[in-house]
Amino acid sequence: MTAHLRNLQGNAACALGAIAAGCRFYAGYPITPSSEIAEWMAAELPRVGGIFVQMEDEIASMAAVIGASLGGMKAMTATSGPGFSLKQENLGYAVMAEVPCVIVDVMRGGPSTGMPTRPSQADVMQARWGTHGDHPSLVLAPHSVAEIYSETIRAFGLAERLRTPVVLLYDETLGHLIETIATEPPPPEALLERKWAEGPRREYRPYAAGEDLVPAMARPGDGHRAHTTGLTHDETGFPTQDPERVARLLDRLLGKLEHHRALIEKVDRVETEDAELLIVAIGIAARAAKAAVGALRRQGVKAGLFRPVTLWPFPEEGFRSAVATAKTVLVPEMNAGQLVLEIERLAPAGVTVHRLGRYDGEPIAPEEIVAAARELVR
Amino acid sequence: MSTSPETIDLRALRRRQPRFSGMDPGHRACQGCGQSLAAHIVTEAAGPDVIVANATGCLEVFSTPWPQTAWRIPWIHSLFENTAALAAGIETALKQQGRPTKVLAFAGDGGTFDIGFQTLSGMIERGHNVLYVCFDNEAYMNTGVQRSSSTPHAAATTTSPAGRVRPGKRHLKKDLLAIIAAHHLPYAATATVAYPGDIKAKVRRAMAIEGPSFLMIHAPCPLGWMHGPELTIKVARAGVETGLTPIIELERGEVVSVLPIREKKPVTEYLRLQGRFRHLLGDDPVAVEERTHLQALADHNIETYGLLAREGDLRDSLSAALVRRGGAIR
């Protein structure tokens, strides 16, 4: 298969990545700056035998995606901050009922309607804690158009393989950034797929999981009996408030992502081997940080970049090894300080953590990071 | 100033007449925007003693560019889905404090037919003293022309594109008025920017009623419908004269009056003016079938509401348009 070079905006790359991953169901609702994903899906999905449904609102879009996934299809929706807020209850349902699906949040300035056409990274914590209750979150944060394409494919793989909703998080700048990328669909055997229920129907228990902690899903029409609910349940799927069963379910749900950290975690490091100043950034801020690392190195500052491509669960080990030689950590992010909280939690004693925040609707420029870094190493 | 009756300039006289304007010019609407025209007429007729709750959409965006507002009346931007509920809260709080006033809720078709549908239903059911105005331009124009459940059958939008396989949207326009009527509210009506006098009469009517009322105004969008900005009124009027846009009034769910069509036109007279229906104008079987279907829908409207004017009807579509242009009915 030959690579096909195209000029695409991030949102288009997301749509094409989803199709390459085997997504054939999209339910969505117009919201700036994510609407192009819906528009591309509306045009492209029918060509590959897929279905695009424009729903009546944000909540319905998320619910329809969950329904389609339970119905046996790879399904996705996309939105931005206000819509992401509306989807949260359904997102929690997908976590609890273990329904694979992909939700794209193209971040814009908030809170509330905020700045629909301006970038922000202020949904870092909403993506982690937006829905209520103790729950695991799986969030990927690409930083280029090419990576939006590849991470969308990876998002589907993780969602299907681990039976969990996966959030793809990037900002307006990346959504509308146009770059030349190779859209090369991965071979089918390279895709991670859902584990379907097999074996005697009589013995099937919908939420019984083996060592990998992921229960096999009943394929509709196969005859396996499954009870699906957002109520706390045991292996049978039926609701229970028995403390032992409740704890067992939550232990497994929370442990599921921990168990698969090796599969889930993905980090990017730039010159971290001897870095005394470590910059930690995601998305478009990481693009600026990459340029800043080059500039700082030329100025004799031993700078490096650690970029969690998998944002949640946070790649703790990757960060610990990247921060090993550092004396100072700088976290540039387009919000009032969200990612920095996790870095403060994980930074070893003696390492000082600083943030460079901006929430005025403008991306952070490399020069700002260089200037802040030079202040810190002076 | 001349006092001679022969030299009275009617135009100048009309300009000197004190007239309330709820919305000032100088906002950032596109040329030929039907919604801005409708909002201007509605607020002019409603008068100063109102509070407006306005859903997210073009009207909200273009009327309040920093650091200005086009509004001469108290005006609040809500969210997208919550306008009717926010209006209900404002109205209830004022009533509770002994200072009742009419609250207007403004929203587009997306905020009314789709995401705000639930709060609209609740507001009407509870009987709040709110006039809800839906500016119906039949798609999500503010986010880039995506289909809504008000988009007519076969219209092309960015999420219901017309191509070789599908000739635009595959679903019927939701009959929202029928659903509103099922709430048995005191007053509901449709209107169109082609007949400003009719809008004003209906707003005044609604303002005089204590309780919920609903007005849906057909408002062409040159950008989304793909027609020249100078054609807004012509397009809106063609909607009426073909029967595709029935202009009716309901009391407690019953039709009490209609704007009669004097000369019925074929639906192609409406379709051919707009780029969103361009794919329906050819001789290919799909286009012919879709046109036939739309004609059947128009005929159904005409039949259902009895839209054809009787001879000599002074309130018909032609007379109403003449009045708008300053002509007189004799």
Side-chain angles (χ1 to χ4, degrees), chain B residues 125-137:
Chain B
E125 186 266 334
R126 289 185 305 269
H128 293 278
N129 187 22
V130 172
L131 164 57
Y132 189 106
V133 183
C134 169
F135 301 99
D136 183 15
N137 56 23

Side-chain angles (χ1 to χ4, degrees), chain A residues 106-155:
Chain A
V106 187
M107 291 180 282
R108 69 191 216 188
S112 192
T113 312
M115 292 177 284
T117 59
R118 286 283 168 188
S120 150
Q121 296 182 326
D123 295 351
V124 164
M125 283 300 174
Q126 184 179 209
R128 176 63 191 92
W129 291 115
T131 195
H132 60 277
D134 288 313
H135 61 276
S137 297
L138 212 172
V139 182
L140 311 180
H143 81 320
S144 68
V145 175
E147 206 173 59
I148 288 174
Y149 183 79
S150 60
E151 285 302 291
T152 304
I153 296 171
R154 202 165 75 91

